[in-house]
Amino acid sequence: MMKKLIQAVILILVFYLILKLGIPALGSFLHHGTWPVVPTNLMRIYVFFIVAGVLLYLTFNEESAKELGKPIKEVYGNPEKGGLRMIVIAVIALFGGYITYQNVKPSFEAPVELRSIHPAPPSSVEMWGKPYNLLKLTNPFREDKANFEKNAREGGIVFFKNCFYCHGDKLDGKGHYNSGFSPMPANFVDVGTIAQLQESFLFWRIGTGGPGLPKEGAPWRSAMPIWQHFLSEEEIWKVILFLYDYTGHSPRTFG
Amino acid sequence: MGFLGKGLFKGVSFRFTSLTACLFLIFFASTLILPISHNASLSLKPAFATESPAPAGEHAAPVLSKAEGKPEEGKKEGEGKFTYQPAPKIKVEDYPIVKGFNSRIAVWIVAQLHLFFGAFVLAVPIFVLVIEGVGLATKDERYDHMAHEFIKVSMTAFSITASLGGLLSLMLVSFYPDFFKYMAGIFGKTMIIYALLFFGESFCLYVYYYGWDRMNEGFSKWLHLTMGLMLNVFGMTLMVLSNTWVSFMMAPSGIDDAGVFTGDIWAAIRGPLWNPINLHRFIANIAFGGSIVGAYAAFKFLSAKTDEEKAHYDWMGYTANFIAIFGFLPLPFAGYWLMKEVYGYSQQMGITAMGGAFAWLFIIQAVLIGSLFLGANYYLWCGMGRIKGSERYTPAIKYLIVVIVGCFLVWFTPHTLIMTSKEVTQVGGTHHPVLGFLGVMSAKNTAVNILIVSTFLSFMLYRRSNKIATASWTSTGNALQVALFAGGAINIVTLGVYGYFIPANIRIGLSIPQVMTTLTIIIVSSVLDGFMYKGAKSTGPIEWGKMGQRSQYALFLLAVSFTWLMGLMGYVRSALRQHWHVYTVFRDNSLDAYTPTLGYAAGIITIAVYIFIALVIFAFWIANFSAKKHAEASH
Amino acid sequence: MKVFIRIIIFSVVLSLCYWGFSNYGIPQVIPEAPPVEEKISGSMTMDQYIALGGKIFNGKGTCTLCHNPVGGRAPLLVESGKDGAPIGARAADRIKDPRYKGKAKTAEEYIYESEVDPSAFVVAGFGKPGTNDTVSPMPATNKGSIGLSEAEIGAVIAYLQKSAGVQVTVKLPTGAAPAAAAPAAAEPQSAKTAEEAFGKHGCTTCHTIPGIAEGGDVGPNFKGLSSRAGSRVKGLSPKEYIMQSIVSPDAYTVKGFEPGTMPADLGEKMTVKELDMIIKYLMEKTG
């Protein structure tokens, strides 16, 4: 009689475990030394739709739906099962209480922060006391094909003198100080970072650093310095050239 | 038999009146269309003049000046000495305050309701006409009756649309007079044409609806179909015309930097976003209209007393759901086109939509669309219960569920994950090594395409449920179809994976072959099925009405979700303008110029949806009322 | 009725789910408030003052008529080009130029001097033809039709310095200074003579007019105008042609000159009396 209900519970548990253990295991295989869990916030929605999917599966057919509903009807409708009913209701109430308690109990955890990884850039930005139109800005060294290698090499020198302590000698965001920061330094090798962006975006991010980020989203705690105070315009452009050249990505273009 | 003769006589006289009516209509339409085309041809001249390549060198100056002189002349001929005003720079004090009203919320809700009803009454005639045509072609009276019932449902909605339109324009005049004045200064002509077209539409609608029973044979039936076609022509023109105002506000054209109208109305109409919006709205209207009619059928089904009634409304609900899905499948592609044009028009606007404050909106959208897909599929699966022979296919459903829910979860995974600091340490950074792959466009495009293919597969299984193919090449055909689906799915996934290894600008282009694969699968396998199941053996009729109650709630889910989704996407389209009435030209300086949070917007949308539901119930109730009288009278 | 209530509850709850997800399922991003619109009156910030300067430079000041990369009629000011760095940056070097004879001690003073007394220093190659770069063809920006106020000239300097990326040294105008905003609302007073009218409307900035010493070559030379005016446009008498050329200058552009150069608003600025005097003068003295 309970067959369908048990089937539902087992199915939900299996899929839950895939998310709970399978994804971190796969992630740990890709990035050794980490255990990349699915964030709780996302997990909730995942589980919600998995439950919905399982219920849809078990109810699209009339007999199966009746069978699934039978134990529930039995517990709530059968006058002889008063004791069991009380227990079920109590368990549900306690479970609700537990969830509520887990959510409201005080913790030492820092509040969840939203980081908009690629905030919309302003249309123009002021650096070295000069306005730059980010919509039209392009890398002046990109066109200079003859000296490309030389410029990229010079950018590399800038990188290793300034950036590599955090962003790492492989540009993978694993520099010496990387573990000290939250958010961690960007991994340029990844397809999700500079490969998604235009050079003008990088110019803006490097030039104004963590403090120059827009308010968009939540407070940001990036420790990236304001590089316009230390580097010249040309050095920043060259370093951008280097970043793309080294990682093999090409800057994003629209159109 | 006597009444038959009388009816015939009546039919003749009616035929005569409808003929004159039609002539009048054609005349009426020509008076409307002529000025437009005249206008367009007038305006084409300067357009060509300015677009002609300017010859290089300073000596060419006089030639250029002559060419530029032309629009001046054209304007003077047409407009006398009138000069257009630049977009006004207005201040907070210039916005009238009507006590008890928040201007923005009031206009927002009323505009949204107007759009809901407008979409509904524009969509219903489209498929009513098609269904009527199908009825005529198959000589199946049921189709004709259903089409009649569909249009009956939309009658009250039609007048509600008109009333809301009137309310909206009055509200615009009283809350945003300067804005309305500026728009009227440019689009005044189209606004008047719009109002006139509305008469045409009402005329056609009334003739179409009230003439339904009388114009049901022979020539007059054709006349009736023509009337339906005219109704749709008027409706479409109305929509396209009002879309110009909206697309102008988002991406103004035909004006200079200060907002001074050049006098060329065609240039103002033909903005960069006009056609994408036209297409998107047209398709979405069909899906939306289908889902609302589906909800109506579901309600009638649930409250049906007899088996006959049940069977009828079950069938109606099924057809409506089919229409909704039919409109829904190509919608994402129309959406991509619109977004692409938005990017093309202004990268700033595109980034605002995709990366800025609205980034999370697309997660809400994913949840809604996922629910829609699940609901629609669930309805089909439930529907297989009323077909004998469907047992052969039901085992496949569990795999379909896994694929659909899986795709949905991929689509839903945001690019930016919300993590506690503990989770950040566990993950080893904010970039998740597994989920990070799912957050980008390549994964999402793949998921959507697979989702669509799976939904189509559900539909195909449903269609096959009570049929056994008898064609000699059936096994070959089946193998071919399996190969088609498998190959297509592999192609879509491969393209998606390939997207990770190439630069973004090329990656965007990958969505086109993906979509083409999806479309190929759909078209080729439909054609194959058509041939394979020609003269197929039946395992039994579809037992209409033998349907669980749960499935009807899936129809309600479709209707409510569609409505809500429409409100949400309408909001974001409008909000992309940010603090501008007319983007980059006419600044919004009212107190409400700021962009609210998504949660706030969701609240307003929910209120609008509730009001819509209440009004729709009212409209259905009225339709029901007249039907009851009808039934009593015939008894 | 039971069915009706059920579906109502279903729809309401479903919508509420969507509402709840939008409010609690996703982070609430508060979009940035609309940017503050620049106010041209009252107290200003330096940024607004600079923006005003940019507006004047590109508009009312008519500077870009000549200081643009296309015509090569005057040195580039905002962009760096063959004339070197932008003016804000190169001004300091100008003072050290051996040919420099002006009174300016600082870069700011140099730009100011160039605006009100253009001939104080003429960049090589940009002088009036035949004057060996001692006389500038540029009109003084604080007089004539341009007529910038002190505050407005300051704004332009600030803009030029800003766009060159150097320290802005201009002080914000104090008190009621930015008369810039309120364009001189004085009663329009007619000039007394044609010569005065020419000066008032800045005609000589671009045109050389017989009988008047100053003159430019941006627009056609008026020598012999009265004899050819009748044949320019079919159907227009010489008088009508001249009037058309003043009131709507782009209706006909003389070959070799660029359309759109001459201000189009003279018809509004001139009094009828002035227009009459000017036409009369041109008809009589340019023979």
Side-chain angles (χ1 to χ4, degrees):
Chain A
M1 188 186 92
M2 298 274 284
K3 218 179 90 196
K4 285 282 165 187
L5 195 62
I6 291 169
Q7 194 186 353
V9 171
I10 289 176
L11 276 174
I12 292 170
L13 267 179
V14 166
F15 284 113
Y16 176 75
L17 286 179
I18 289 178
L19 293 177
K20 189 74 188 170
L21 301 173
I23 288 186
L26 183 63
S28 145
F29 176 72
L30 293 171
H31 273 220
H32 287 291
T34 59
W35 187 249
V37 291
V38 178
T40 327
N41 189 292
L42 192 59
M43 192 66 162
R44 274 187 210 145
I45 310 289
Y46 277 177
V47 169
F48 179 84
F49 280 101
I50 284 172
V51 171
V54 168
L55 287 183
L56 291 190
Y57 167 59
L58 291 174
T59 59
F60 77 81
N61 170 311
E62 201 64 31
E63 293 89 62
S64 145
K66 276 209 181 103
E67 215 178 314
L68 180 68
K70 222 190 229 164
I72 300 167
K73 257 192 190 152
E74 186 75 11
V75 168
Y76 279 96
N78 191 340
E80 289 166 20
K81 298 253 166 92
L84 182 65
R85 180 158 56 238
M86 281 307 145
I87 292 171
V88 168
I89 291 174
V91 165
I92 291 175
L94 280 175
F95 185 68
Y98 170 75
I99 299 258
T100 314
Y101 173 70
Q102 284 297 325
N103 273 316
V104 299
K105 75 170 178 191
S107 83
F108 300 108
E109 189 129 327
V112 176
E113 271 183 25
L114 168 74
R115 295 178 58 243
S116 179
I117 291 179
H118 301 151
S123 56
S124 76
V125 66
E126 194 184 304
M127 287 187 221
W128 300 282
K130 240 195 311 189
Y132 289 89
N133 182 350
L134 286 180
L135 301 180
K136 291 183 186 146
L137 200 61
T138 51
N139 192 338
F141 296 111
R142 172 100 18 217
E143 292 308 310
D144 189 2
K145 296 271 187 281
N147 298 319
F148 187 87
E149 263 185 41
K150 182 177 149 278
N151 289 331
R153 179 170 289 273
E154 283 170 20
I157 293 169
V158 175
F159 181 87
F160 284 102
K161 277 185 178 167
N162 301 283
C163 321
F164 109 98
Y165 305 102
C166 303
H167 290 287
D169 50 358
K170 289 180 187 159
L171 278 64
D172 55 359
K174 290 193 181 147
H176 298 92
Y177 302 125
N178 108 311
S179 56
F181 298 121
S182 173
M184 287 170 151
N187 171 0
F188 301 130
V189 183
D190 191 274
V191 286
T193 59
I194 59 172
Q196 297 266 359
L197 301 164
Q198 286 174 297
E199 291 189 292
S200 61
F201 189 98
L202 269 74
F203 184 74
W204 165 58
R205 288 304 336 116
I206 296 170
T208 60
L213 280 158
K215 198 188 89 179
E216 198 176 284
W220 185 287
R221 300 169 300 166
S222 165
M224 176 117 154
I226 304 172
W227 284 108
Q228 56 168 316
H229 294 168
F230 309 99
L231 299 176
S232 71
E233 181 180 349
E234 285 185 0
E235 282 171 325
I236 290 185
W237 282 126
K238 280 178 182 167
V239 107
I240 292 171
L241 209 61
F242 168 75
L243 293 183
Y244 282 106
D245 187 45
Y246 184 92
T247 56
H249 296 310
S250 36
R252 183 172 195 164
T253 46
F254 290 98
Chain B
M1 274 297 162
F3 73 91
L4 215 149
K6 217 166 129 195
L8 209 69
F9 175 69
K10 259 190 184 167
V12 169
S13 73
F14 202 86
R15 194 178 294 164
F16 176 71
T17 39
S18 60
L19 200 72
T20 40
C22 244
L23 280 174
F24 165 70
L25 243 162
I26 290 165
F27 170 74
F28 184 60
S30 63
T31 53
L32 291 173
I33 292 162
L34 277 179
I36 299 176
S37 56
H38 174 64
N39 223 338
S41 66
L42 235 183
S43 57
L44 276 179
K45 255 188 273 164
F48 281 136
T50 43
E51 276 167 16
S52 67
E58 292 205 351
H59 297 288
V63 181
L64 236 171
S65 81
K66 260 185 206 160
E68 277 177 357
K70 257 186 190 167
E72 285 289 315
E73 285 165 26
K75 199 166 95 186
K76 265 176 201 157
E77 275 170 26
E79 312 287 338
K81 285 258 160 86
F82 182 75
T83 50
Y84 292 99
Q85 297 298 310
K89 293 200 184 341
I90 47 180
K91 293 195 255 344
V92 172
E93 308 87 78
D94 294 331
Y95 292 88
I97 291 173
V98 182
K99 268 222 170 117
F101 285 95
N102 175 312
S103 316
R104 173 161 76 174
I105 294 177
V107 168
W108 183 348
I109 290 180
V110 171
Q112 192 57 66
L113 287 172
H114 177 59
L115 282 170
F116 283 151
F117 276 100
F120 180 58
V121 297
L122 284 179
V124 171
I126 297 172
F127 48 77
V128 162
L129 183 68
V130 173
I131 294 172
E132 195 190 357
V134 170
L136 193 66
T138 58
K139 306 236 173 351
D140 189 343
E141 284 235 322
R142 286 186 309 163
Y143 283 106
D144 202 67
H145 288 159
M146 183 166 64
H148 195 181
E149 190 161 3
F150 277 170
I151 198 89
K152 184 181 80 188
V153 166
S154 80
M155 284 305 283
T156 320
F158 185 76
S159 38
I160 296 180
T161 311
S163 318
L164 284 168
L167 184 60
L168 176 62
S169 39
L170 281 180
M171 276 188 163
L172 282 175
V173 171
S174 28
F175 293 134
Y176 299 98
D178 294 286
F179 165 67
F180 197 80
K181 192 175 146 200
Y182 177 67
M183 289 296 278
I186 294 171
F187 287 105
K189 221 183 257 173
T190 63
M191 285 173 180
I192 292 166
I193 293 173
Y194 181 84
L196 290 175
L197 280 174
F198 199 76
F199 280 109
E201 199 198 5
S202 327
F203 178 80
C204 286
L205 179 69
Y206 288 129
V207 172
Y208 189 61
Y209 175 63
Y210 289 108
W212 198 289
D213 290 332
R214 296 201 182 165
M215 303 162 78
N216 64 352
E217 261 162 39
F219 174 69
S220 67
K221 186 66 183 170
W222 283 104
L223 209 59
H224 189 244
L225 276 173
T226 315
M227 219 58 197
L229 185 70
M230 285 306 289
L231 169 62
N232 275 305
V233 168
F234 275 118
M236 252 338 79
T237 320
L238 277 172
M239 184 191 82
V240 163
L241 211 55
S242 52
N243 284 353
T244 62
W245 310 330
V246 166
S247 66
F248 174 83
M249 283 166 72
M250 283 184 80
S253 57
I255 52 174
D256 67 9
D257 288 344
V260 180
F261 183 36
T262 55
D264 181 358
I265 183 84
W266 179 239
I269 288 175
R270 192 197 46 189
L273 299 184
W274 185 43
N275 274 322
I277 286 182
N278 284 341
L279 180 73
H280 197 276
R281 279 196 166 165
F282 173 69
I283 298 176
N285 283 356
I286 292 178
F288 177 71
S291 75
I292 298 297
V293 173
Y296 169 78
F299 173 64
K300 298 289 274 187
F301 176 88
L302 288 177
S303 46
K305 301 255 172 1
T306 64
D307 282 348
E308 206 181 10
E309 234 182 312
K310 249 185 165 170
H312 175 69
Y313 286 111
D314 188 13
W315 183 60
M316 187 170 172
Y318 167 75
T319 314
N321 181 53
F322 174 75
I323 293 166
I325 298 302
F326 181 76
F328 186 48
L329 290 187
L331 203 50
F333 308 133
Y336 277 130
W337 185 36
L338 176 58
M339 214 52 220
K340 185 169 166 272
E341 293 297 315
V342 166
Y343 258 103
Y345 164 69
S346 157
Q347 193 189 318
Q348 203 67 17
M349 203 183 230
I351 292 184
T352 306
M354 304 301 290
F358 297 119
W360 288 95
L361 177 128
F362 289 89
I363 299 300
I364 307 180
Q365 188 207 17
V367 168
L368 280 153
I369 293 185
S371 315
L372 284 173
F373 270 111
L374 278 178
N377 277 296
Y378 183 65
Y379 182 78
L380 283 177
W381 300 329
C382 286
M384 284 165 95
R386 64 187 165 213
I387 304 174
K388 267 201 192 112
S390 64
E391 319 80 57
R392 293 171 297 155
Y393 294 109
T394 39
I397 290 176
K398 53 177 169 292
Y399 304 113
L400 279 173
I401 293 189
V402 171
V403 170
I404 289 175
V405 173
C407 285
F408 178 32
L409 293 190
V410 169
W411 194 18
F412 166 80
T413 305
H415 188 201
T416 308
L417 299 172
I418 310 172
M419 291 192 263
T420 61
S421 50
K422 195 177 141 206
E423 282 162 353
V424 172
T425 349
Q426 277 179 316
V427 171
T430 42
H431 184 73
H432 197 288
V434 179
L435 300 179
F437 286 119
L438 307 183
V440 292
M441 220 56 209
S442 289
K444 295 188 192 302
N445 277 343
T446 309
V448 169
N449 280 290
I450 298 281
L451 210 54
I452 290 175
V453 169
S454 313
T455 306
F456 178 72
L457 187 60
S458 281
F459 180 66
M460 274 201 22
L461 295 183
Y462 176 85
R463 286 280 307 271
R464 284 177 166 205
S465 284
N466 66 340
K467 292 183 191 127
I468 298 174
T470 50
S472 55
W473 47 282
T474 304
S475 53
T476 326
N478 274 331
L480 217 65
Q481 280 196 329
V482 169
L484 183 71
F485 272 93
I490 289 171
N491 190 31
I492 291 171
V493 173
T494 314
L495 284 170
V497 172
Y498 177 55
Y500 287 100
F501 299 100
I502 52 170
N505 56 334
I506 309 176
R507 188 184 319 144
I508 289 174
L510 277 186
S511 60
I512 294 167
Q514 281 187 324
V515 169
M516 292 323 281
T517 313
T518 306
L519 290 180
T520 312
I521 294 175
I522 291 178
I523 292 168
V524 173
S525 68
S526 302
V527 171
L528 264 180
D529 246 34
F531 281 115
M532 219 154 80
Y533 283 86
K534 213 170 188 185
K537 212 163 72 190
S538 171
T539 54
I542 300 175
E543 295 169 63
W544 293 110
K546 197 187 151 211
M547 189 76 161
Q549 294 208 340
R550 286 179 315 281
S551 61
Q552 302 303 310
Y553 285 92
L555 290 180
F556 285 115
L557 179 124
L558 282 188
V560 174
S561 304
F562 254 124
T563 315
W564 211 92
L565 182 60
M566 201 168 142
L568 181 77
M569 298 321 281
Y571 160 70
V572 70
R573 187 201 48 66
S574 192
L576 283 186
R577 281 182 285 121
Q578 295 181 296
H579 52 276
W580 299 93
H581 286 313
V582 178
Y583 195 61
T584 69
V585 171
F586 188 172
R587 198 185 148 109
D588 180 355
N589 269 327
S590 64
L591 287 171
D592 293 320
Y594 68 94
T595 310
T597 61
L598 287 175
Y600 177 90
I604 305 285
I605 293 162
T606 307
I607 292 170
V609 169
Y610 286 164
I611 300 177
F612 176 69
I613 292 175
L615 286 174
V616 161
I617 289 171
F618 171 74
F620 287 173
W621 180 66
I622 294 277
N624 211 19
F625 192 63
S626 82
K628 256 184 204 156
K629 266 253 168 114
H630 225 74
E632 278 165 21
S634 67
H635 275 295
Chain C
M1 204 56 196
K2 211 168 133 194
V3 171
F4 182 72
I5 290 169
R6 247 191 226 164
I7 58 164
I8 289 291
I9 291 174
F10 177 80
S11 308
V12 167
V13 169
L14 184 64
S15 302
L16 274 182
C17 284
Y18 292 143
W19 173 81
F21 179 69
S22 310
N23 273 278
Y24 305 107
I26 58 157
Q28 290 304 303
V29 178
I30 299 173
E32 293 203 37
V36 181
E37 205 175 15
E38 41 179 316
K39 285 218 175 65
I40 306 183
S41 59
S43 57
M44 275 189 189
T45 66
M46 187 43 102
D47 285 343
Q48 289 166 333
Y49 193 48
I50 291 165
L52 173 66
K55 250 188 201 161
I56 296 169
F57 183 81
N58 292 308
K60 177 180 175 188
T62 65
C63 314
T64 48
L65 281 182
C66 300
H67 293 281
N68 65 41
V70 183
R73 278 191 229 103
L76 294 178
L77 299 180
V78 180
E79 309 89 342
S80 47
K82 62 177 167 44
D83 308 306
I87 181 69
R90 71 173 181 251
D93 301 329
R94 291 286 192 227
I95 315 170
K96 295 177 196 133
D97 194 299
R99 281 174 52 238
Y100 182 71
K101 300 273 162 18
K103 298 182 202 76
K105 296 280 179 297
T106 63
E108 182 193 334
E109 283 172 15
Y110 170 79
I111 301 175
Y112 179 82
E113 189 181 58
S114 301
E115 284 194 52
V116 298
D117 182 11
S119 297
F121 177 82
V122 182
V123 179
F126 289 106
K128 268 195 181 176
T131 60
N132 198 19
D133 291 342
T134 51
V135 181
S136 169
M138 171 171 157
T141 56
N142 58 346
K143 299 194 185 93
S145 63
I146 303 172
L148 301 182
S149 68
E150 287 295 302
E152 284 172 320
I153 291 175
V156 172
I157 298 172
Y159 168 73
L160 290 174
Q161 289 183 325
K162 180 75 181 175
S163 51
V166 298
Q167 182 73 35
V168 176
T169 55
V170 185
K171 297 274 173 305
L172 272 177
T174 48
E187 288 285 307
Q189 275 192 333
S190 226
K192 302 247 160 23
T193 63
E195 285 88 344
E196 198 185 318
F198 284 133
K200 180 178 166 192
H201 296 292
C203 308
T204 50
T205 309
C206 302
H207 298 283
T208 302
I209 303 168
I212 294 173
E214 302 259 315
D217 60 354
V218 175
N221 192 323
F222 287 160
K223 199 162 174 238
L225 172 66
S226 57
S227 52
R228 63 176 182 256
S231 55
R232 284 285 195 210
V233 179
K234 247 192 193 160
L236 288 187
S237 71
K239 264 190 179 180
E240 282 167 342
Y241 169 72
I242 294 173
M243 192 188 310
Q244 189 207 39
S245 301
I246 294 170
V247 178
S248 47
D250 285 336
Y252 174 83
T253 310
V254 178
K255 197 171 177 182
F257 294 94
E258 269 175 55
T261 310
M262 183 153 159
D265 56 354
L266 283 174
E268 284 150 41
K269 285 184 176 166
M270 250 179 216
T271 64
V272 178
K273 199 174 149 200
E274 284 168 349
L275 184 64
D276 196 43
M277 282 191 302
I278 287 175
I279 294 175
K280 215 170 180 184
Y281 183 99
L282 290 177
M283 287 300 293
E284 285 167 8
K285 307 241 170 135
T286 61

